[in-house]
Amino acid sequence: MEIEESTPKNPNQGSNPQSQSHDNTSKPQQIPNNAQNNNQTQFQQTQKIELDPKAIEMLKKYQKNYPIKEYTYNDEVLHLPTRYKPGEIIGIGAYGIIISAVDLGNNNQVVAIKKLKRISDIIDLKRIAREILIMKYCQHENIIPLLDVIIHLNKDKNMNKVADVYLVMEKMDSDLQKIIASKQELSDEHYQFILYQMLRALYFLHSANIIHRDFKPSNVLINEDCTVKLCDFGMSRGIKEENALLTEYVVTRYYRAPEVMLSSHHYTKKIDVWSVGCAFAELLSKKFMFPGDNYIAQIKLIIDVLGTQDLKDLDFISNSSAKSFVMQFQNIPKKNFREILNCENPLAVDLVEKMLVFNPDKRYSIEDCLNHPYLKNMREGIEDPVFNGKINLDFDDKNITFSLFFVFLVKEISSFPTGLVVA
Ligand SMILES: Nc1ncnc2c1ncn2[C@@H]1O[C@H](COP(=O)(O)OP(=O)(O)O)[C@@H](O)[C@H]1O
Ligand SMILES: [Mg+2]
């Protein structure tokens, strides 16, 4: 298929699959109000994309003609350049499957390929762009490297233009969720090493003014040698993107910071600290720290462990009914973290307590966590790099059309081995 012209149409039409439940753990999800009118049928109907004539002209120079093969996994069809020899499914994501593959074009390196389901609108495209740009520009030992990006522009049976995106990444052995579920015995040194690497990745991201926003064990990839690499940046945001919380925050509730639930305006890097605290506590105890079945249960569980909060520590809650909801929990004593975590090392317990502070202003930052004595042995002689490149994730320009954004993304991925393939 050659890129050809179609009638320009409002690119903002269509539903938002971002608002679908974003979890692969079958844990309960809270769907925010702004997402409740989403339905699958609408999503199915809007998978075709419209590109205006100017965009089509601009795309021609990036178009590659690599041979493509089609593969079917359950209901999922993958179109991949022949340099990739696909293997088994290694993950089921919210937007598609993740398979292992061998890269015949690069010394048979084993890779992971994540299919992001058919692009349907500009909201999708921005999510995908964030995920790609973060992995492309944030190169760090503890962030999963992006090796190739494939945008496959195709036509469906009704001759509508459709586009799928594939992210080719270094393949890791497992993820932290699986390690926790396996109840594998780990030493205190392992715990330190895992925590240190998770914090290091976030320290780097935060130095780039990016908040991960969906930090949880399944997004922490891990190898047998305990090397950790953070993945899944689809929910990440630049710190300046102030509307982000209000518009599309659908992350897993268990790891959600109090301010995310109680105050839509309080939007800082500290939300990641809370999530690491929950994930690390879960790793130590092999139990979810705050497994709330719903919004209210979630807040209750948190206060049940942290105890009644001082009034002055609730200043961050701007919504008065949210504030009175929290204030009704009186005379609840703080629980003993050592017992909850079932952990012998008092330094580990102390650090978790400092990550899981209700008031975000009093909660440790990632840097504070790294400087905590628990990680002293890990850090000796090792540098924790900060980001010193340039990355702009501020896509909030309301005037940008789907077509223009598509061209922007194609340009960004043209530096990868494959890039845009047109069938
Ligand atoms: N590079 C990788 N190597 C090994 N497993 C991976 C890799 N990327 C993803 N996975 C597996 O797939 C799961 C889902 O991937 P993720 O990027 O988190 O997608 P989603 O956005 O749908 O959550 C992960 O929890 C992990 O188990
Ligand atoms: Mg994930």
Side-chain angles (χ1 to χ4, degrees), residues 164-178:
D164 290 313
V165 180
Y166 301 89
L167 307 181
V168 183
M169 296 167 274
E170 188 177 301
K171 184 189 169 291
M172 301 284 283
D173 297 331
S174 190
D175 67 53
L176 202 57
Q177 185 184 40
K178 293 176 189 152

Side-chain angles (χ1 to χ4, degrees), residues 198 202 213-217 249 251-252 254-257 260 270-282 355-356 363:
M198 300 194 296
L202 287 174
R213 299 207 321 161
D214 195 16
F215 192 96
K216 57 181 173 181
Y249 205 41
V251 307
T252 318
Y254 293 2
Y255 307 91
R256 232 180 261 177
V260 174
K270 297 285 183 75
I271 64 180
D272 284 341
V273 180
W274 179 272
S275 306
V276 191
C278 295
F280 186 59
E282 189 177 322
M355 290 193 262
L356 296 180
R363 191 180 309 146

Side-chain angles (χ1 to χ4, degrees), residues 304-403:
D304 206 37
V305 172
L306 301 188
T308 299
Q309 299 296 305
D310 280 352
L311 195 55
K312 63 180 183 331
D313 285 326
L314 303 179
D315 280 350
F316 71 92
I317 309 174
S318 44
N319 179 310
S320 59
S321 53
K323 201 169 186 166
S324 16
F325 173 67
V326 176
M327 280 165 59
Q328 60 176 310
F329 301 103
Q330 290 298 321
N331 304 318
I332 298 175
K334 185 172 185 285
K335 287 235 166 78
N336 182 320
F337 268 64
R338 204 198 69 76
E339 278 168 23
I340 291 176
L341 300 175
N342 191 23
C343 173
E344 296 302 323
N345 187 334
L347 289 174
V349 177
D350 186 67
L351 180 49
V352 172
E353 286 192 82
K354 283 169 168 144
M355 290 193 262
L356 296 180
V357 169
F358 199 87
N359 178 352
D361 299 326
K362 292 190 178 166
R363 191 180 309 146
Y364 258 26
S365 67
I366 295 290
E367 189 173 4
D368 295 334
C369 296
L370 282 168
N371 287 328
H372 189 276
Y374 181 58
L375 296 171
K376 190 168 171 285
N377 293 341
M378 288 294 131
R379 294 189 81 202
E380 249 155 34
I382 300 179
E383 259 194 65
D384 300 317
V386 291
F387 179 81
N388 54 21
K390 260 197 179 149
I391 179 166
N392 181 11
L393 299 175
D394 191 4
F395 303 147
D396 274 346
D397 177 2
K398 295 280 177 298
N399 297 320
I400 192 143
T401 62
F402 180 91
S403 287

Side-chain angles (χ1 to χ4, degrees), residues 291-310:
D293 282 344
N294 55 56
Y295 172 91
I296 292 187
Q298 185 70 30
I299 294 167
K300 273 187 179 159
L301 276 176
I302 292 172
I303 296 177
D304 206 37
V305 172
L306 301 188
T308 299
Q309 299 296 305
D310 280 352

Side-chain angles (χ1 to χ4, degrees), residues 22 24 93-94 114 214 216 218-219 231-232:
H22 185 264
N24 49 22
K114 172 172 170 174
D214 195 16
K216 57 181 173 181
S218 64
N219 290 337
C231 76
D232 197 354

Side-chain angles (χ1 to χ4, degrees), residues 3-6 51-60:
I3 297 178
E4 47 173 74
E5 301 179 8
S6 69
L51 294 168
D52 64 38
K54 205 170 131 219
I56 285 164
E57 200 45 47
M58 288 161 92
L59 286 174
K60 279 186 179 151

Side-chain angles (χ1 to χ4, degrees), residues 178-212:
K178 293 176 189 152
I179 298 293
I180 293 171
S182 75
K183 311 247 188 243
Q184 195 178 324
E185 284 290 322
L186 294 171
S187 68
D188 189 41
E189 251 200 346
H190 283 123
Y191 291 136
Q192 288 174 35
F193 188 42
I194 293 170
L195 177 62
Y196 173 52
Q197 295 176 89
M198 300 194 296
L199 291 170
R200 224 173 157 240
L202 287 174
Y203 180 64
F204 184 79
L205 272 188
H206 287 183
S207 75
N209 279 327
I210 295 166
I211 309 179
H212 187 285

